[in-house]
Amino acid sequence: MNNGAPSKTLSKGKAKELNGLVEELMQLGFREANTTDELLAQHRNMAGVLDRIRRVEPKLRTTNGRPRMENVDHFTRWAIEQGCTVENVRIAEHTEYGGLGVESTGHIPTGQSIVTVPRRLFFYVTNEPRYRKLLELMPGAMMSEQGNIMLALALIMERFRAKSFWKPYLDLLPDRYTTPLYYTTEDMGELIDTEAFLPALKLCKHIARQYGFIRKFVQDKVDELRDCFTYDVFRFHRFLGPHKSDLNQPTSGSTATLAFFLLSWLIQTSKSGTV
C-alpha cells in the first residue's frame, strides 16, 4: 500500500462480484417503503449487502495509524505556521467523551477570540484542473443539488495524495464516527420509538445510494479515485463535510463556493472563522 491506497486492483472475478453487489444495493435502495416495518426491513437488506460489499472491497486506511494525540503537536505547529492563532486553549483528549476536544489553559474573558482560522485554512473545492475535470464528469444535477458530495470526493483525493498540503489535518481525524452511518441493524432497531429513527434511516439510505451511483462513474472515468473509492472511505469523508450546502459549477477563473473550516470538527466557528 501507498499512503493507504491499494497496490493492485481487484481481480476480474472480485470486480464482477462487487459490481453485482452494487447493482443489488441500488435496486434495494430505490424500492418503495412506507411503513416502519418496511423501512426497517429495507435498511436491514441494504445493510446486509453493504456488509458483503465491504468484505470484497480493499481495506483502505483513512489515518496514519498512530494514536490521535501523537498527531496533535504536528497539526498544531502546522496550523500556526499557516496563520492560525490560538489563545488560552489546547487540543486535549477526553476519553469520557470518546475523542479530542478544546480545553482551556487559562482565563478566557467574555468575547475574546480563542481560535482564528485564516481563509487559506478553509478547505475549498477549487477550480484547479483535477477538480474541474471531476465536476465535468459527474452528473450536473446531482452535483448542484448535493454539493457536499463533491467536497467528500475532494477530501478523498487529498487523503490519498502522497504529499497533500492537508495531511497534518487529515492525520488528526478519527478512524470512524458515532453516527447512524456506523450503527448496526440492532442499534437502528432501538431507535424505532424515537424521533431520530426516520432521519437515521434516510441518512443511511441516501449515503448508500450515493455511493452506488458515484462508484459507476469513478470506475470508468476518474483515475484518482478508481482505486481508493470504497463504501467505508466514502461514508467517512461524506460525513466530514456539511450536510446541507450548495455548489455552483465553477467557471473559468472562479472558485467553487463550497468549503468547510479546518477546525469545524473540533470547534464552533463564526462566519469570519474566529471563535
Side-chain angles (χ1 to χ4, degrees):
M1 290 189 178
N2 179 16
N3 198 37
S7 58
K8 59 181 180 180
T9 58
L10 294 174
S11 67
K12 289 184 178 180
K14 286 295 184 181
K16 182 178 180 180
E17 179 184 357
L18 182 56
N19 289 337
L21 289 170
V22 172
E23 185 62 33
E24 182 179 351
L25 177 70
M26 296 297 285
Q27 291 177 4
L28 288 170
F30 282 98
R31 287 180 183 172
E32 186 174 354
N34 298 306
T35 68
T36 297
D37 288 343
E38 289 173 344
L39 289 167
L40 190 55
Q42 182 186 48
H43 173 76
R44 286 171 174 162
N45 289 335
M46 293 180 71
V49 176
L50 283 170
D51 284 343
R52 292 159 63 193
I53 286 173
R54 294 175 63 233
R55 287 196 292 269
V56 175
E57 288 186 325
K59 303 298 184 289
L60 304 182
R61 193 174 62 203
T62 55
T63 69
N64 63 4
R66 299 173 184 169
R68 294 179 70 197
M69 280 303 296
E70 290 186 11
N71 297 310
V72 167
D73 287 344
H74 184 208
F75 165 77
T76 303
R77 287 196 303 271
W78 170 79
I80 292 174
E81 288 171 359
Q82 301 304 322
C84 186
T85 62
V86 181
E87 301 290 342
N88 294 326
V89 293
R90 65 182 178 187
I91 299 174
E93 188 170 20
H94 295 273
T95 55
E96 65 271 30
Y97 300 115
L100 305 182
V102 173
E103 180 179 272
S104 66
T105 58
H107 175 65
I108 302 175
T110 301
Q112 177 186 344
S113 297
I114 57 174
V115 177
T116 301
V117 183
R119 192 173 184 83
R120 67 172 301 176
L121 290 186
F122 292 10
F123 186 96
Y124 282 89
V125 179
T126 65
N127 195 39
E128 61 182 283
R130 61 202 186 102
Y131 294 147
R132 186 168 63 247
K133 179 181 178 182
L134 185 58
L135 280 166
E136 291 170 352
L137 290 172
M138 297 300 294
M142 170 175 274
M143 302 315 290
S144 61
E145 295 173 5
Q146 303 282 347
N148 41 3
I149 293 178
M150 183 61 203
L151 182 60
L153 297 181
L155 283 165
I156 293 172
M157 293 167 75
E158 289 300 323
R159 172 71 275 181
F160 294 102
R161 286 182 73 186
K163 296 181 179 180
S164 172
F165 169 79
W166 300 98
K167 190 176 186 303
Y169 162 68
L170 295 169
D171 283 344
L172 194 61
L173 296 173
D175 57 5
R176 60 181 291 134
Y177 294 98
T178 55
T179 74
L181 291 176
Y182 292 86
Y183 284 6
T184 65
T185 53
E186 290 75 19
D187 292 335
M188 198 67 74
E190 294 181 6
L191 296 179
I192 287 180
D193 295 325
T194 72
E195 293 184 0
F197 178 64
L198 291 180
L201 289 182
K202 183 178 180 180
L203 173 65
C204 292
K205 181 164 69 173
H206 283 185
I207 297 301
R209 294 197 313 195
Q210 288 171 7
Y211 155 78
F213 190 78
I214 293 171
R215 185 183 177 278
K216 295 180 180 180
F217 286 87
V218 164
Q219 292 302 305
D220 293 337
K221 300 179 180 180
V222 188
D223 293 341
E224 277 197 75
L225 291 171
R226 182 174 293 116
D227 293 333
C228 59
F229 186 84
T230 68
Y231 174 72
D232 279 343
V233 168
F234 179 64
R235 70 171 169 176
F236 177 86
H237 292 87
R238 179 67 172 76
F239 183 77
L240 275 177
H243 290 274
K244 292 183 179 179
S245 55
D246 295 319
L247 176 65
N248 297 324
Q249 292 275 2
T251 57
S252 178
S254 70
T255 300
T257 59
L258 186 62
F260 75 99
F261 294 150
L262 174 68
L263 301 178
S264 61
W265 62 278
L266 195 58
I267 54 177
Q268 292 295 321
T269 57
S270 69
K271 291 183 179 179
S272 65
T274 300
V275 179

